[in-house]
Amino acid sequence: MTLRPLHLIFCAGLLVTAGCGPLFDIRKAMYDQPKYEPLEVTDFFGDRRSARPLIDGTVAQGHIQLDDHLYLGLEEEDGDFRQAQTYPFPITADDLNRGEEMYNIHCSVCHGKSGHGNGMVVRRGYKEAPSYHRDVLRNAPPGYFIGVINNGFGQMASYSHQIPVEDRWRIVAYIQTLQRSQFANVEDLEAIQVFIEEPITEHSSPEHANEH
Ligand code: HEC
């Protein structure tokens, strides 16, 4: 018998299926092992649910948030909760710098770098973001801003998933700094003057005094 191309193809086909057969069986056995499909019915539990409800009070790892001041921006007073008037940790110059950086990344695109509400996204047609320099927001406590960042406000989405909680407070501190910067009074100027002059007179030698 002469070997024809058709025979060769037939033999090659046999080899391939023989080679794959056992392998395929192993995979299938793993696929078919006893298990529940998501939400499959079972007779094992009384409520017939194979997906068991979480035990009361279960908290996902890394998600326990007992500090209402830090996480919710709420303070307890006389058994009642109100928007926090204070910060949960002391705000240093480093915190303000970090707040500025985070504000410029996450908020300035709509609220503008100085907080007047005219960021680039607004200039391109998004709903106008309210100015932080309106009385009602200038007088709002830090906890109010935390609430807005956590929950969103009207057309503004929540930013709690993008911004770690400490950074949210740093942003609020920076916003309050922006507010102050647009609403300084004469006493503030005097205080700033003292602040500027003191380090200069204390630390600079006479030949450097003119450089400032
Ligand atoms: C995509 C644009 C956008 C971004 C980004 C954005 N906001 Fe807003 N924000 C808005 C708009 C629009 C409103 C007004 C919403 C409305 O009235 O429907 C608003 C409202 C607010 C208000 C005012 C609530 C009030 O009482 O009037 C605060 C405070 C605020 N945003 C803070 C922030 C902070 C802090 C960030 C950054 C973490 C931020 N926003 C990021 C668009 C934005």
Side-chain angles (χ1 to χ4, degrees):
M1 182 182 109
T2 48
L3 215 59
R4 287 163 198 269
L6 210 63
H7 293 135
L8 278 177
I9 291 172
F10 182 69
C11 292
L14 268 184
L15 274 175
V16 169
T17 43
C20 288
L23 231 184
F24 183 68
D25 280 343
I26 290 169
R27 288 231 207 121
K28 211 162 167 339
M30 287 176 75
Y31 181 79
D32 284 339
Q33 66 185 306
K35 66 177 183 305
Y36 288 113
E37 301 289 332
L39 304 181
E40 194 178 325
V41 172
T42 175
D43 291 328
F44 188 78
F45 294 107
D47 62 4
R48 309 203 59 215
R49 291 193 284 181
S50 61
R52 305 309 302 148
L54 294 179
I55 295 164
D56 270 354
T58 304
V59 177
Q61 235 178 25
H63 283 258
I64 195 155
Q65 300 181 347
L66 295 178
D67 188 341
D68 290 336
H69 191 174
L70 180 68
Y71 288 100
L72 305 178
L74 295 176
E75 266 172 352
E76 203 173 346
E77 199 187 55
D78 305 329
D80 237 0
F81 281 99
R82 57 168 194 169
Q83 287 159 350
Q85 312 288 310
T86 58
Y87 288 79
F89 52 90
I91 299 293
T92 63
D94 282 345
D95 292 320
L96 275 183
N97 287 336
R98 173 77 180 168
E100 175 178 16
E101 193 186 346
M102 291 289 108
Y103 174 86
N104 285 340
I105 292 170
H106 293 286
C107 321
S108 74
V109 285
C110 293
H111 286 271
K113 285 213 166 176
S114 55
H116 285 95
N118 55 348
M120 191 48 83
V121 176
V122 169
R123 275 183 268 163
R124 291 283 181 271
Y126 196 75
K127 179 173 180 180
E128 194 174 331
S131 165
Y132 296 138
H133 309 298
R134 289 179 305 141
D135 280 354
V136 57
L137 285 181
R138 254 189 330 101
N139 297 324
Y144 178 73
F145 291 90
I146 289 296
V148 173
I149 302 176
N150 283 349
N151 307 315
F153 182 91
Q155 204 156 316
M156 179 188 141
S158 158
Y159 280 78
S160 55
H161 293 288
Q162 286 100 314
I163 309 176
V165 68
E166 285 87 3
D167 282 348
R168 291 176 222 158
W169 286 96
R170 293 180 182 120
I171 287 176
V172 175
Y174 181 67
I175 290 176
Q176 292 206 307
T177 312
L178 280 181
Q179 291 175 322
R180 201 64 195 268
S181 77
Q182 303 297 305
F183 208 76
N185 52 32
V186 177
E187 288 86 62
D188 287 337
L189 287 181
E190 283 160 5
I192 290 170
Q193 200 61 31
V194 173
F195 185 73
I196 293 173
E197 274 165 11
E198 267 178 3
I200 293 172
T201 46
E202 261 175 38
H203 302 298
S204 35
S205 50
E207 63 266 31
H208 290 129
N210 291 334
E211 288 174 11
H212 296 281

